[in-house]
Amino acid sequence: MSRRIMLIPVGTSVGLTTVSMGLVRAIEEQGIKLNFFKPVAQPRRGDNGEERSTAIIAHHASVSPITPFELDYVERMISNDSTDELLEEIIERFEEKSVQDAVTVIEGLVTTRHHPYAERLNLEISRALDADIVFVAVPGNDSTTDINHRLEIVVDTYGGHKSQKVVGCIFNKVNAPFDEHGRLRADIGAIEAPEHDEARTQALRELPIFKKGLSLLGTIDWSADLVSPRATDVAKHLNATLLNEGELSERRLSSVTFCAREIHNMTHTLKPGALLVMSGDRGDVFVSCCLAALNGTKLGALLLTGGYQPDENIMALCSQAMETGLPVMLVNSNTWQTAQSLHAFNQEVPVDDSQRIEKVMVHTAESLDASWVNSLTQKVSRQKKLSPSAFRFYLTNRARQVNKRVVLPEGCEPRTVVAASICAKRGLARPVLIGDETEIRRVAEQQGVVLSDGVEIVSPSEIKDDYVEGLVALRGHKGVTEVVAKELLDDNVTLGTMMLQQGDVDGLVSGAVNTTANTIRPALQLIKTAENASLVSSVFFMLLPDQVLVYGDCAINPDPNAQQLADIAIQSAESAQMFGIEPRVAMISYSTGSSGAGSDVEKVREATKIAQELRPDLLIDGPLQYDAAAIESVGKSKAPNSPVAGKANVFVFPDLNTGNTTYKAVQRSFDLVCIGPMLQGMRKPVNDLSRGALVDDIVFTIALTAIQAAGN
């Protein structure tokens, strides 16, 4: 059985691509087979290459979209009175390229003065593909009466309220900043959001049309975070010359200030994410901005106008500020002309802006009615592979349910502070930051985040003495006296580990600054291994484009023997099950089956036998070469009778050298998100971070730590 949903825009600039992205993500998170089809490409002015919606879905979802028909071809067919033939070709392409027994998201055309035929063609395509209709509208500044009338008209066009094909409506850009003429402020200087108007949202929910059978399927609030462009996007738009590239591709712009005042009147504008525009000969302003950067404020970028380059002596004076990653751009236009160019900046998300696309997809998916999304997935086949989106959804959804308290010993580290703020805001955990409160709040301000009441800040000096007695009791046999215990507790990781050991928190995440050894050593000494575990090992969750793989052990045990390797395999399989992955475990070696000999391959062969005997309920096989385990055609050739070959999703490596090298090679070669290492076999969850971890890596590690805590 399949479901087909066609998104129909009600008006222009409704954010149809955004809604498509969100709906695709929401369905992906259910692990359901999915198609995406925009029958007719509708490029925006200035777009080159692939159709935008199709390209974004292709690059950022576990879906292979069906190729749309080119607009020129469609218009030629319509002008030749060949619409029927066009519809036949659309149906033929859909039937040939779509995955059977799946949900299909179909994106319609937007009616514009250049495409006046769009509304009629949408109607005909929806009928040809037998799709259910979901309208996408933007309330703007219109009265609820006007909005209701507009929806009534479009519902009548598609068969009226009695039509079983008309399902509902999604409101996008709710509470967005509209001007007095009802137009969305599109200039980059208007990306600060107005206050959320709950009364307005409630009024939309209570429109008379929703009492006649039409369903409200989602209200998507406008968010400033989702429209903040990268500095590189603005640089390309302005064709700017780079005086200092810095973190041009990473920094995002959340406000714009034109610096024409005295310094003391503009210090409040020197804030994270600010694009500061000034004449290139204003050395005083330039130096002030660089001083703010040196003080830790992560400004968005400096934009110099008039073609004036700062004096060489000033550039030398500010060289250390440049080293903080501050981008500096130069344009030849004057400040007024530059302001006009910024006003014309297109804030649609670029196809290559993965971070922003991910945020848009998550925000939109979470804004859709969950019961409706679940109804789409009933009686539709589920994917055999757990997609990255489904895995992330499982992580965040399960973490919200368990609501655990996770301590973060590196409380003053900027990425950790931002991650704690996100976790509290999204309800993924109750984060506890260890560190000086003044310093933590200063870091938060520099990073442009607000720490809500959901983030707890604990000063080490205020709690350290509470754990001295417990530490002496645990380590007294190793010569730890009260004096030594106080010294050991000066280390925040040890202090956080004692909080976990005493049951004051549920889990610990560290490693953004500390080494793996510094994170794990206190845990091994104080938390120790679980009763049913012979050792502590680790796994990484590798988020490939179309599935999630589990790699173990890539961080802890240098050269496990056969018994230890079998234990690692069982632990890794159980970890996979804990996170919604049905494990098929491959014991990796340089040889498959009985084709090779040697001590290394014999160890893997013996470990496989031990693991199979200990856990006959698990699918475990080996020795298998990596390609035989991962690629179906190779698996059938090299190990035709194996229940795992070609279908493995848990890979157990024979030693640390092989595992760590493989995980890093795969991660770096394909630019993958890797979550971990997650430690397994501990009494209580302690997890390590890579020192190069991104904020999202820390957020997901906190979430999986919370889930581990619930399973202990």
Side-chain angles (χ1 to χ4, degrees), residues 238-244 257-259 275-287 289-290 301-311 314-315 322 326-335 338 342:
L238 298 174
N239 195 26
T241 300
L242 298 181
L243 301 185
N244 188 62
T257 297
F258 292 89
C259 304
L275 174 63
L276 300 160
V277 186
M278 68 199 75
S279 177
D281 57 1
R282 285 294 301 271
D284 57 335
V285 179
F286 186 83
V287 171
C289 294
C290 290
L302 306 186
L303 175 57
L304 312 181
T305 65
Y308 301 114
Q309 293 198 34
D311 181 81
I314 289 179
M315 288 297 289
M322 302 297 109
L326 177 64
V328 181
M329 303 177 276
L330 175 69
V331 292
N332 292 322
S333 55
N334 62 36
T335 302
T338 303
L342 288 172

Side-chain angles (χ1 to χ4, degrees), residues 589-705:
S589 176
Y590 60 76
S591 173
T592 295
S594 58
S595 65
S599 59
D600 291 337
V601 73
E602 286 300 328
K603 179 180 79 170
V604 175
R605 187 174 289 118
E606 183 182 352
T608 302
K609 182 179 179 181
I610 294 171
Q612 290 171 337
E613 290 175 351
L614 289 173
R615 291 294 302 272
D617 57 310
L618 295 173
L619 284 178
I620 303 175
D621 198 18
L624 290 169
Q625 292 165 286
Y626 192 98
D627 58 349
I631 301 172
E632 190 169 0
S633 60
V634 179
K636 287 180 178 179
S637 172
K638 292 187 175 183
N641 299 318
S642 170
V644 171
K647 298 176 285 188
N649 52 18
V650 179
F651 294 74
V652 177
F653 297 98
D655 52 59
L656 185 59
N657 182 51
T658 306
N660 193 269
T661 301
T662 303
Y663 117 73
K664 286 186 176 177
V666 173
Q667 179 191 31
R668 298 303 178 185
S669 297
F670 299 100
D671 194 25
L672 301 180
V673 174
C674 299
I675 301 175
M678 185 188 86
L679 302 190
Q680 43 194 21
M682 299 289 296
R683 287 180 183 270
K684 297 184 179 182
V686 174
N687 285 311
D688 183 34
L689 297 165
S690 164
R691 274 169 283 175
L694 302 176
V695 170
D696 282 349
D697 299 332
I698 301 174
V699 169
F700 286 122
T701 302
I702 292 171
L704 68 83
T705 302

Side-chain angles (χ1 to χ4, degrees), residues 11 46 62 97 126 157 257 330 343 374 398 402 408 423 431 527 538 546 555 561 604 674-675:
S62 305
K97 303 297 183 180
S126 70
T157 302
T257 297
L330 175 69
H343 182 80
N374 290 336
R398 179 73 178 129
V402 299
L408 308 171
C423 285
I527 304 297
S538 71
D546 62 342
N561 59 35
V604 175
C674 299
I675 301 175

Side-chain angles (χ1 to χ4, degrees), residues 69-88:
F69 287 85
E70 294 297 328
L71 186 64
D72 288 346
Y73 175 76
V74 170
E75 290 181 338
R76 191 162 58 251
M77 293 288 283
I78 293 173
S79 65
N80 291 336
D81 199 21
S82 300
T83 303
D84 289 342
E85 289 85 342
L86 172 65
L87 293 173
E88 290 173 10

Side-chain angles (χ1 to χ4, degrees), residues 62 386-393 542-548:
S62 305
L386 183 67
S387 71
S389 299
F391 179 72
R392 286 190 293 259
F393 174 74
M542 311 291 290
L543 275 59
L544 274 65
D546 62 342
Q547 67 174 319
V548 178

